């Protein structure tokens, strides 16, 4: 078997990689009969020379590889027929913008496994960047806060930016961040955000105590809002029930209004799906008591639970403003009554060195053994495989029309 590590071809660019040089060497020792080939790239956080220095084969042409690993979606023009690709596909929810990619893979007889659906028997993801998204999202959000109010200027992350440097930079400005922060959700993204806030020595309060805070704060304080804090049954005589909400979210309404009036910086880290209540809608944005002026929409649901997230942003241009007068986008840090939005949808890429190393470790533990040892029928592998030789697998037959089959 020959395994290829392909260069990233999606725009905007992604600097991460599925395996670091050291991880490839470790896998080669573990599986001496398997060859690894790395496609040359001038954008990768790990330079080509770092792979070559360890004796790893480099090439431009990957057509003799059996399985090809990337991070983000491969450009359609680069797809090689009849190969097995593994990357984040963003197709299983029938995302319109990736329908051409899905149909191209099917037409070319490609097998495709999606990192997002490598899950265990409890449906817990085995290969995910969520925690890192929360970490970087906090950094970018405080960078926006410092620029908006002229308090400090955190540097833009470069290609070799690390978690250690990120934490040091935030620790240096923490004393200038006297504000109220609301973190939504309890998953990995939220946990990453909370990790950074704790490192900044922020004071955590219960939602009830948070709502009793005065408007002005000398210290950095935050609260974490669970789903039960964010929504409630439209029938006030009923109590919150997670299973009921999942079954029929239309019977629930947002309970976010009180927090919008006691928050300066909102970190959106929750899961949201269409049909669920909108937390920050036009009515609430126009509320004169709504105090939020910086939003870090880390999960980046476009026009989803937060109306002011009108588009995603990039690492090169991470911020834009949303006018509370016109209810429309305007340039970042505009004059007037605006909310500054951070909506970078590939936050972990800012820590490409650390996140590549972490991701490669999870792949080496959970994914590569299944593929190399030929255990394609393993439940973990089966759950993640959307296409087999261009045909939808049984689990994903609901994509038939979307895939053009």
């Amino acid at each position: 078997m020959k395994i290829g590590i392909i260069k990233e071809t999606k725009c905007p660019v992604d600097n991460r990689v599925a395996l670091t040089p050291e991880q490839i060497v470790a896998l080669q020792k573990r599986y001496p009969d398997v060859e690894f080939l790395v496609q040359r790239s001038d954008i990768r956080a790990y330079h080509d020379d770092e792979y070559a220095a360890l004796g790893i084969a480099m090439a431009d042409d990957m057509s003799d590889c059996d399985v090809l690993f990337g991070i983000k979606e491969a450009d359609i023009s680069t797809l090689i027929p009849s190969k097995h690709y593994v990357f984040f596909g963003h197709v299983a929810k029938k995302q319109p913008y990736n329908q051409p990619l899905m149909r191209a893979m099917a037409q070319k007889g490609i097998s495709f496994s999606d990192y997002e659906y490598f899950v265990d028997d409890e449906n817990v993801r085995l290969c995910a960047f969520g925690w890192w998204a929360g970490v970087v999202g906090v950094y970018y959000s405080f960078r926006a806060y410092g620029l908006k109010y002229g308090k400090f200027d955190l540097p833009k992350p470069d290609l070799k930016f690390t978690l250690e440097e990120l934490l040091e930079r935030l620790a240096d400005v923490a004393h200038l961040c006297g504000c109220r922060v609301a973190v939504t959700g309890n998953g990995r993204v939220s946990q990453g955000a909370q990790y950074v806030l704790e490192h900044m020595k922020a004071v955590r309060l219960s939602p009830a105590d948070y709502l009793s805070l005065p408007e002005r704060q000398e210290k950095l304080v935050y609260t974490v809002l669970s789903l039960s804090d964010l929504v409630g049954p439209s029938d006030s005589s009923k109590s919150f029930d997670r299973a009921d909400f999942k079954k029929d979210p239309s019977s629930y309404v947002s309970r976010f209004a009180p927090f919008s009036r006691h928050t300066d910086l909102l970190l959106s880290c929750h899961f949201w799906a269409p049909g669920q209540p909108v937390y920050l809608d036009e009515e609430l944005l126009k509320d004169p008591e709504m105090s939020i002026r910086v939003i870090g929409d880390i999960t980046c649901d476009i026009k989803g639970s937060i109306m002011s997230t009108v588009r995603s942003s990039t690492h090169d241009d991470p911020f834009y403003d949303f006018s509370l007068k016109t209810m429309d986008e305007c340039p970042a840090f505009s004059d007037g009554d605006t909310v500054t939005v951070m909506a970078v949808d590939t936050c972990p890429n800012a820590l490409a060195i650390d996140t590549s190393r972490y991701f490669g470790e999870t792949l080496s533990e959970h994914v590569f053994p299944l593929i190399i040892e030929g255990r394609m029928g393993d439940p973990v592998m089966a759950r993640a495989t959307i296409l087999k030789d261009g045909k939808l697998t049984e689990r994903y037959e609901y994509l038939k029309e979307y895939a053009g089959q």
Side-chain angles (χ1 to χ4, degrees):
M1 178 180 289
K2 181 176 282 190
I3 293 175
I5 304 299
I6 58 176
K7 65 181 180 182
E8 295 302 309
T9 52
K10 187 176 181 181
C11 185
V13 299
D14 198 296
N15 310 109
R16 291 170 290 177
V17 66
L19 286 174
T20 69
E22 292 78 11
Q23 289 166 346
I24 290 180
V25 170
L27 283 169
Q28 286 178 324
K29 290 180 179 178
R30 184 176 174 186
Y31 300 104
D33 293 334
V34 175
E35 295 182 61
F36 284 84
L37 187 65
V38 176
Q39 191 170 28
R40 294 186 182 93
S41 169
D42 59 358
I43 63 169
R44 194 178 286 134
Y46 288 88
H47 196 273
D48 290 351
D49 292 344
E50 296 180 72
Y51 289 93
L54 295 183
I56 299 166
M58 309 293 296
D60 294 313
D61 183 5
M62 307 298 280
S63 59
D64 62 343
C65 293
D66 301 296
V67 188
L68 298 164
F69 282 82
I71 296 295
K72 303 296 285 186
E73 303 97 310
D75 187 273
I76 292 174
S77 66
T78 69
L79 294 174
I80 305 171
S82 305
K83 299 299 181 181
H84 187 163
Y85 280 85
V86 189
F87 51 72
F88 284 106
H90 304 292
V91 294
K93 298 176 184 177
K94 301 182 181 180
Q95 289 91 328
Y97 57 89
N98 273 339
Q99 187 177 38
L101 172 64
M102 182 65 169
R103 293 193 170 191
M105 289 194 293
Q107 290 166 6
K108 292 176 181 290
I110 285 171
S111 296
F112 171 60
S113 302
D114 194 322
Y115 291 132
E116 187 171 351
Y117 300 100
F118 281 103
V119 296
D120 63 17
D121 292 339
E122 302 300 321
N123 205 39
V124 175
R125 290 177 62 181
L126 301 173
C127 309
F129 286 104
W131 187 88
W132 296 92
V135 167
V136 174
V138 172
Y139 182 84
Y140 274 143
S141 298
F142 276 105
R143 186 170 171 234
Y145 177 84
L147 291 170
K148 186 177 184 72
Y149 295 109
K151 291 177 176 287
F152 49 83
D153 187 357
L154 290 169
K156 174 185 173 182
D158 60 22
L159 197 58
K160 296 294 186 180
F161 200 60
T162 63
L163 175 61
E164 181 180 4
E165 183 178 356
L166 178 150
L167 294 174
E168 288 176 355
R169 295 283 188 178
L170 286 174
D172 288 343
V173 301
H175 67 288
L176 301 172
C177 301
C179 64
R180 304 165 297 179
V181 180
V183 182
T184 60
N186 295 106
R188 290 181 178 177
V189 179
S190 176
Q191 291 165 16
Q194 293 173 52
Y195 172 84
V196 177
L197 289 168
E198 288 297 313
H199 188 86
M200 294 175 72
K201 310 263 188 248
V203 178
R204 178 170 178 170
L205 300 173
S206 69
D209 289 341
Y210 180 83
L211 288 177
S212 66
L213 284 173
E215 181 177 350
R216 299 296 177 188
Q217 286 295 307
E218 294 183 2
K219 292 183 178 181
L220 178 60
V221 299
Y222 78 101
T223 193
V224 178
L225 303 178
S226 301
L227 183 59
S228 58
D229 299 309
L230 295 167
V231 300
S234 52
D235 183 347
S236 58
S237 66
K238 296 181 179 179
S239 58
F240 172 81
D241 183 276
R242 183 177 293 271
D244 181 57
F245 172 76
K246 187 175 181 179
K247 181 180 178 181
D248 183 19
S250 64
S251 64
Y252 281 72
V253 295
S254 170
R255 295 282 188 256
F256 184 66
F259 297 101
S260 74
R261 299 169 186 137
H262 288 78
T263 296
D264 304 303
L265 193 161
L266 171 64
L267 296 173
S268 173
C269 304
H270 60 272
F271 172 82
W272 185 86
Q276 294 182 2
V278 174
Y279 303 142
L280 202 53
D281 58 12
E282 181 172 348
E283 181 181 357
L284 202 51
L285 284 166
K286 287 182 176 179
D287 182 350
E289 295 185 47
M290 199 282 296
S291 59
I292 299 170
R293 290 300 177 267
V294 177
I295 297 176
D297 196 342
I298 304 172
T299 47
C300 194
D301 292 306
I302 309 303
K303 298 181 180 178
S305 63
I306 298 173
M307 181 186 164
S308 54
T309 304
V310 294
R311 63 172 175 87
S312 61
S313 56
T314 66
H315 293 275
D316 288 335
D317 191 15
F319 315 121
Y320 57 85
D321 276 10
F322 185 85
S323 170
L324 299 179
K325 181 178 180 180
T326 65
M327 291 288 114
D328 201 1
E329 179 184 346
C330 54
F333 314 119
S334 296
D335 293 332
D337 200 7
T338 66
V339 172
T340 296
V341 178
M342 187 293 298
V344 176
D345 63 353
T346 58
C347 276
N349 191 51
L351 295 176
I353 291 289
D354 289 324
T355 53
S356 294
R357 187 182 302 117
Y358 162 80
F359 197 63
E361 289 173 356
T362 65
L363 294 182
S364 296
E365 179 182 356
H366 299 293
V367 177
F368 281 103
L370 299 178
I371 291 177
I372 293 172
E373 296 169 13
R375 293 188 279 141
M376 303 304 290
D378 185 283
V380 170
M381 195 73 211
R383 285 189 284 262
T385 301
I386 296 176
L387 291 171
K388 175 64 175 174
D389 299 327
K391 302 297 182 182
L392 290 167
T393 59
E394 183 178 356
R395 184 183 181 90
Y396 296 95
E397 286 183 347
Y398 67 91
L399 296 172
K400 189 171 182 178
E401 182 178 348
Y402 176 81
Q405 296 187 356

